[in-house]
Amino acid sequence: MAEEVKLFRNWAGPFALRVVWALQLKGVPYDTIYEDLSEKSSLLLHYNPIHKKVPVLVHNGKPLAESLVILEYIEETWKQTPLFPEDPYERSTARFWARFGDDQLMPSVFNVFIKQGKEQEEAIARAQGDLKYLEEELRGKKFFSGEKIGFLDLAFGWVANLVSVFEEIQGLTLIEHEKYPLLLAWIQNFIDAPIIKESWPPRDKLITKYRARIEFYSSKEAAKK
Amino acid sequence: MGDEVVLLDFWPSVFGMRVRIALAEKGIEYEYKDDNLRNKSDLLLKMNPVHKKVPVLIHNGKPVCESLIIVQYIDEVWKDKSPLLPSDPHQRAHARFWADFVDQKVYAVGRKLWETKREEQEAANKDFLETFKTLETELGEKPYFGGETFGFVDISLITFYSRFYLYERFGKLSMEAEFPKIVAWAKRCLQKESVANTLPDQKKIYEFHMKWFGLE
């Protein structure tokens, strides 16, 4: 039976990357359709009318949105190379940390790089507190999922992918070596993993793109005063 | 045997109610502990140090946090009775997507109705109406969001029914007039024991919020 898997994504998006990694790790063939988010295609709007965002996975004509939802779908549909823990309790823990990453850590990290002055200091304190949880979760483990890369590593992939980009743009180190030795080791192990490495977006392009993004949000923040 | 299940909750919490409904659907016996969120217990702080929020399900001493994660956990552990999620992966993804939509939107747009300053009331009302319109459209002619049977998305949304009177008062709207399908769906859900026994009376929730947020 011919399976048709299409992924709508933008080239830099951290959420889409999770889906790319999951599909690659499971060896699922798929086609990529790159979207320019400033001018969304009518096909994307048809497949994701609610949020109008990427990534969208279309499997045999049926669309799915929201990266964490897509990862669960991929796991349930293609059972080779399991990415989720088998035990329900461990699964619930992984889901908890993935949500924490998206709902709390991501905004607190982004704030570090767009706020200034006292607000930035507070943002740094907040983000470093949040990052401490990740450091503790890695105790005794090579990856968040254990010996091998799994769901939670993919969910936290943006930490490996984007934070050093932001750090370079703003000349500010958030993930300090003395405070986060395990997290930095994980970042290196994650980046070096064969399948992950192949899908890494080019760093110089990321810097250009996020420099513009950060400048845009920073000036919005400054204008609020 | 010898499963120990404790639920840390706060009686007006829409999130806690989801877990109570799920536990009732599965016929699970548990100990309920009410935690007043303005005076959090040591147990809560120990079991949910990251968010310090309810609900927390403590199963044989181990905590599970975040209501939708808890409901999925309950479904996976007590899998032999009353499935809450469909078995087909695509339908499961659909259910997760819509429950996530409820989480992303409904709580916030509802709260804005009474938190918002007068100038922004119109915008708040618009967001609220749009959100529920989306849900009304998604429900369509189905008896439940999941189709023929009550499930995950229904559980994620039905608890907000307890706030409908609150929304009507602050939004100056009629939920039944604006969203007849949603209201009919809610009444259908209320025919289930698990829902009827869990949802507090709308007036009681209204009075609670008036006091809690000093809205009187």
Side-chain angles (χ1 to χ4, degrees), chain A residues 59-89:
Chain A
H59 184 206
N60 293 335
K62 297 199 280 193
L64 289 161
E66 294 299 294
S67 60
L68 296 181
V69 173
I70 295 173
L71 288 181
E72 300 242 14
Y73 176 80
I74 289 174
E75 177 78 349
E76 290 170 2
T77 304
W78 292 282
K79 302 201 196 277
Q80 65 275 28
T81 313
L83 299 172
F84 280 73
E86 239 187 85
D87 171 66
Y89 186 77

Side-chain angles (χ1 to χ4, degrees), chain A residues 64 66 76 89 91 95, chain B residues 63 76 92-93 96 100 104:
Chain A
L64 289 161
E66 294 299 294
E76 290 170 2
Y89 186 77
R91 251 206 307 279
R95 286 176 178 142
Chain B
E76 288 169 11
R92 287 166 77 83
R96 287 183 173 122
D100 177 69
Q104 281 190 43

